[in-house]
Amino acid sequence: MLDAFSRAVVSADSKTACIGGNELQSLKNFISEGNKRLDAVNTIASNASCIVSDAVAGMICENQGLIQAGGNCYPNRRMAACLRDGEIVLRYITYALLSGDASVLEDRCLNGLKETYTALGVPLQSTGRAVGIMKAASLAHINNNNTEANGGKRFRKMEMKDGDCSAITSEAASYFDRVISALS
Amino acid sequence: MKSVVTTVVTAADAAGRFPTTSDLESVQGSLQRAAARMEAAEKLAGNIDQVAQEAYDACIKKYSYLNNDGEANSNDTFKSKCLRDVKHYMRLVNYCLVVGGTGPLDEWGIAGQREVYRSLNLPTAPYVEALTFARNRGCAPRDMSSQALVEYNALLDYVINSLS
């Protein structure tokens, strides 16, 4: 497993070069923007169960067949498995976001996931849709721009200092996209 | 590779939980100390050729028998390899400063070190001398700030201990 720092080290070692200049500058940014990263991880982790259950509910809303007899979320047992998997995926995304590198997500979650789901008959498209909804909700939480209209009864705004979070948002988005493309 | 973040993530993953407040606190702690490490890494990267050359010269000066026929520093090929070895250690120190742990030195420098030097019949004392010279040569604030120098020296001490 690598983080942003050890990723830089591994790539410098393959060139037998020291780390200085530009690479060091991006790591310095990582350090100075560190609090935004921690806030982002915290806001996703604090709202995880809400994000996950909303995403699964949304996926089912769009495709009612899932909860009819024979559907993949039909008995409670399978619905529970679905919620559990959503939480696992979101958990590995928070790990990747915390370490600033996708290796933990790739190695421990996505590697072989598509094959497993295909073998178990889990519909990949629906899974991808659920991850897409988790992405939208998580990014809204990171930017703290979720609205009551979107959140409904469960609307919740975290107390956070406002600032420019575009970099961390697009980084988080890239981890969700990685999951979606691994499943399609 | 072992660092504060990967340790935290491994522990959280083993327990199957999201990163908790205390996990985030320990990452925050390592980020706070990171500025000094980055400074040391930057200064070292900028001067690594000079640092390695001085350290190499110092150890050859102390162990001048190495220049004798059949010894480890007796011809140009050997000389350049000795210098390269010293530079490798400095580069790994640079990596460790960036990562914030001894992972790069452990995995790429120290693992198997004793066996290699023994089978090539190389003495370790000159390496210790070279690294000790580099350790004592650093000076705050001429070369870097004192906190950065502390981090840099700690890693050099770590290598010296592994060799002695």
Side-chain angles (χ1 to χ4, degrees), chain A residues 3-13 19 23 27, chain B residues 95 98:
Chain A
D3 59 15
F5 297 94
S6 38
R7 168 72 68 193
V9 163
V10 169
S11 70
D13 185 56
I19 298 180
E23 289 143 322
L27 293 174
Chain B
Y95 291 170
V98 170

Side-chain angles (χ1 to χ4, degrees), chain B residues 113-149:
Chain B
Q113 178 186 59
R114 206 161 276 277
E115 290 79 357
V116 170
Y117 289 157
R118 187 165 296 166
S119 75
L120 298 178
N121 201 17
L122 293 175
T124 49
Y127 287 104
V128 172
E129 176 58 26
L131 294 163
T132 311
F133 178 85
R135 186 207 186 287
N136 296 333
R137 183 85 168 85
C139 166
R142 183 195 64 195
D143 299 325
M144 52 184 87
S145 70
S146 57
Q147 182 62 46
L149 193 64

Side-chain angles (χ1 to χ4, degrees), chain B residues 45-58:
Chain B
N47 289 310
I48 191 157
D49 288 322
Q50 218 177 332
V51 172
Q53 184 70 49
E54 279 187 5
Y56 164 77
D57 290 345

Side-chain angles (χ1 to χ4, degrees), chain A residues 32-113:
Chain A
S32 60
E33 303 281 282
N35 272 332
K36 290 182 187 172
R37 183 174 299 274
L38 299 181
D39 278 348
V41 172
N42 183 38
T43 192
I44 297 180
S46 306
N47 296 295
S49 62
C50 178
I51 293 173
V52 172
S53 57
D54 255 16
V56 172
M59 170 189 82
I60 291 171
C61 251
E62 292 173 5
N63 184 3
Q64 297 280 335
L66 288 169
I67 45 167
Q68 269 138 31
N72 276 281
C73 289
Y74 169 53
N76 275 339
R77 185 178 58 79
R78 291 164 101 181
M79 176 73 169
C82 183
L83 289 163
R84 179 205 59 192
D85 281 10
E87 190 178 312
I88 290 175
V89 167
L90 189 62
R91 186 158 58 80
Y92 281 104
I93 288 174
T94 58
Y95 294 163
L97 190 59
L98 182 59
S99 48
D101 188 85
S103 65
V104 59
L105 177 66
E106 289 285 351
D107 298 347
R108 300 196 174 191
C109 179
L110 300 184
N111 186 7
L113 185 64

